[in-house]
Amino acid sequence: MADRKENIRNIAIIAHVDHGKTTLVDGMLRQSGIFRENEQVQERVMDSNDLERERGITILAKNTSVRYKGMKINIVDTPGHADFGGEVERVLKMVDGVLLLVDAFEGPMPQTRFVLRKALQLNLKPIVVINKIDRPEARPAEVIDEVLDLFIELGADDEQLEFPVVYASSREGYAVLELEDEKKDLEPLFKTIIEYVPAPSGDVDKPLQLLVSNIDYDDYVGRIAIGRIDRGKVITGQQAAVCQKNGNIYQAKVSRLYKFEGLKRVEADEAEVGDIVAVSGITAINIGETICDASTPEPLPFVNIDEPTLSMTFSVNNSPFAGREGTFVTSRHLRDRLFKELETNVSLRVEETDSPDAFKVSGRGELHLSILIETMRRQGYEFQVSKPKVIMKEIDGVECEPVEFLTIDVPEDYMGVVMEKLGARKAEMVNMHSAAEGYMRLEFKIPARGLIGYRSEFLTDTKGNGIMNHVFYGYEPYKGDIASRQRGSLVAWEDGEAVTYGLYNAQERGTLFITPGTKVYEGMIVGENARNEDIVVNVCKKKHVTNMRAAGSDEALRLTPPRILSLEQALEFISDDELVEITPKNIRLRKKILDTEQRAKARSKLG
Ligand SMILES: Nc1nc2c(ncn2[C@@H]2O[C@H](COP(=O)(O)OP(=O)(O)OP(=O)(O)O)[C@@H](O)[C@H]2O)c(=O)[nH]1
Ligand SMILES: [Mg+2]
């Protein structure tokens, strides 16, 4: 007989980026008395890793729990950025319901559609939380209609359409069932979760099954597997059978068992069906594997994670500066690190190439890949990467490419330039309507190819007033060539150190990326040419002594402040014949062929 664990609820919080998921978790933790009175708790406490805090976004899905009136609510906070959709997909198997947060002003956005579709496919109970109702421009009533339309469009059944609605302000820490209700605390939200999300069920007397949905590390105990117990119970110290995805089965010992209590993992002797737990001691455990009773190895199916759409080559750094700044620099280091990443980064792919020094790494978008690059660089790795390329697919004999669903919010004045630029990038408009305060919302289908490098252009074109969001839509037949970058590179002529005089002459040609004192090598990219071709510049050139009087002193040479490219901007900038060199200390851009003469020859061969 299946038992219902009436005192447990398992939920995930899902939404578009920035709609307030992690802030809502803060509120739920605070109001369930997890923290001591007066305890200083930082904002968005679940965004615990460095890159999450720096960028103000959630990257990894994470578990926590709160107690409410004797009930335990296990919560999974998920990232809202489309590139981390794989994180959402993989954790949904742990829960029975979702809180779908929608910003009371923005309404449903591309990633709202994506995460809701995944939740409906798994038949999870949705609770719609219209969040940020404290915003002066909030328009909750309209947003509800839009959410309802989205449910219908995604084919929700009658039961799913009867979703309860809660209005909330995560930041102020209140929720109400009717807008005119007193805004006090999150109690109405807690109540709705308890009433509406089904208690987890499963047979406690049958052999153990625990599907691993997340992996964590701990300095003391090593790898920790996190998942929901689907059947039976886990006991500390027990023998278990681990079912791998390739069909292999091996025996292992559960050395420790933990439950989630607030932000902590608390050791437990045993845990039963329905609860979300963490298990240590199984060193080789991976996401998607099932931990079973030692004598009854019966794997559970894992969710199918959407395929990557973008790939780039990671290769050993072979620039003249190779090995100077990194700790891990060999192909062996690079290989081991990349394959290790696959254990937790479920939507990433890594493949060998013809060269032992290069690996093809595929992900769900530029940010997915750049976060990996940034993480590796901070860990001491040195390597170089190529321009991201979309992954083509042959479907029924037709060459197809990934197409993204793009939503743009811009003031009306900028509509023209946006539509023109997107047209050139083969975007097809599917919808357009006016939004609040002079803004227009434009929706497009656009080849993923056409979006590469567009973001910075868009921000410039709209003077920072536009918002763009995109999410994978599907594969469609190839839409024809798209003109690539309009400008060439300024390329260093010789090895040395850039000086003011040399840079001053170079900046006449375009925009510089470096400052005086920067060490450069032949073939390194030091700026952007104003014209559509590369030119070689001698940024190390010192002023000729005899020119001294004629040209005035060095101080008279004013340099325009350089454009220092971030990692993402560098990836957007490079062309096919260029690379980004990544080290713990520097991000440099370079030509693939460094030698000026050889490069000229290669170009003339291409004709
Ligand atoms: N006005 C208002 N702002 C809010 C509210 N909730 C969150 N915010 C703000 O919205 C921003 C994003 O909040 P987060 O909690 O990080 O959003 P998120 O959904 O977790 O974002 P991702 O995990 O990156 O998708 C922050 O600046 C918050 O302070 C709210 O209820 N009202
Ligand atoms: Mg978040």
Side-chain angles (χ1 to χ4, degrees), residues 271-320:
E272 289 189 355
V273 71
D275 209 351
I276 296 178
V277 295
V279 164
S280 73
I282 311 178
T283 46
I285 195 81
N286 279 318
I287 291 173
E289 298 176 350
T290 313
I291 301 175
C292 301
D293 179 84
S295 55
T296 321
E298 292 170 351
L300 290 164
F302 191 52
V303 282
N304 275 329
I305 305 272
D306 282 1
E307 291 292 312
T309 53
L310 207 61
S311 73
M312 54 176 38
T313 307
F314 282 47
S315 54
V316 170
N317 188 8
N318 63 4
S319 94

Side-chain angles (χ1 to χ4, degrees), residues 299-501:
L300 290 164
F302 191 52
V303 282
N304 275 329
I305 305 272
D306 282 1
E307 291 292 312
T309 53
L310 207 61
S311 73
M312 54 176 38
T313 307
F314 282 47
S315 54
V316 170
N317 188 8
N318 63 4
S319 94
F321 294 173
R324 291 192 194 171
E325 294 167 353
T327 318
F328 307 111
V329 299
T330 65
S331 65
R332 181 80 220 207
H333 287 141
L334 188 60
R335 184 180 194 285
D336 289 353
R337 177 64 183 80
L338 287 173
F339 279 95
K340 188 168 175 42
E341 183 70 18
L342 295 180
E343 294 172 357
T344 51
N345 204 332
V346 289
S347 48
L348 198 80
R349 299 279 177 278
V350 178
E351 294 157 72
E352 312 264 3
T353 64
D354 299 342
S355 156
D357 289 342
F359 304 89
K360 183 176 165 196
V361 180
S362 308
R364 291 269 280 265
E366 281 170 306
L367 192 64
H368 186 206
L369 293 169
S370 72
I371 290 286
L372 171 63
I373 294 170
E374 186 60 41
T375 306
M376 287 174 62
R377 154 173 132 87
R378 289 178 188 212
Q379 291 167 343
Y381 287 83
E382 192 177 299
F383 50 102
Q384 49 195 15
V385 300
S386 68
K387 180 185 160 78
K389 272 207 181 84
V390 303
I391 299 171
M392 307 292 287
K393 237 188 203 173
E394 204 182 285
I395 301 172
D396 299 332
V398 180
E399 178 165 60
C400 292
E401 64 174 330
V403 171
E404 300 272 315
F405 189 84
L406 170 70
T407 307
I408 290 207
D409 291 299
V410 278
E412 272 171 50
D413 294 352
Y414 300 114
M415 254 173 61
V417 57
V418 168
M419 283 164 58
E420 183 192 323
K421 290 277 177 75
L422 286 174
R425 288 168 176 268
K426 304 270 190 242
E428 181 190 322
M429 194 188 291
V430 289
N431 212 340
M432 168 168 119
H433 55 89
S434 53
E437 294 170 17
Y439 269 71
M440 293 296 288
R441 167 155 308 177
L442 315 174
E443 293 173 350
F444 300 87
K445 281 189 339 189
I446 179 169
R449 222 162 19 108
L451 277 173
I452 295 177
Y454 180 61
R455 184 173 295 271
S456 50
E457 230 175 88
F458 172 76
L459 290 175
T460 313
D461 290 346
T462 61
K463 306 211 163 45
N465 287 305
I467 303 172
M468 66 179 266
N469 279 287
H470 56 92
V471 59
F472 179 63
Y473 177 79
Y475 270 85
E476 287 188 0
Y478 184 69
K479 305 215 184 288
D481 286 345
I482 296 176
S484 55
R485 193 173 91 199
Q486 295 299 309
R487 298 186 168 171
S489 298
L490 301 179
V491 184
W493 159 256
E494 59 176 1
D495 299 4
E497 194 173 302
V499 294
T500 305
Y501 184 74

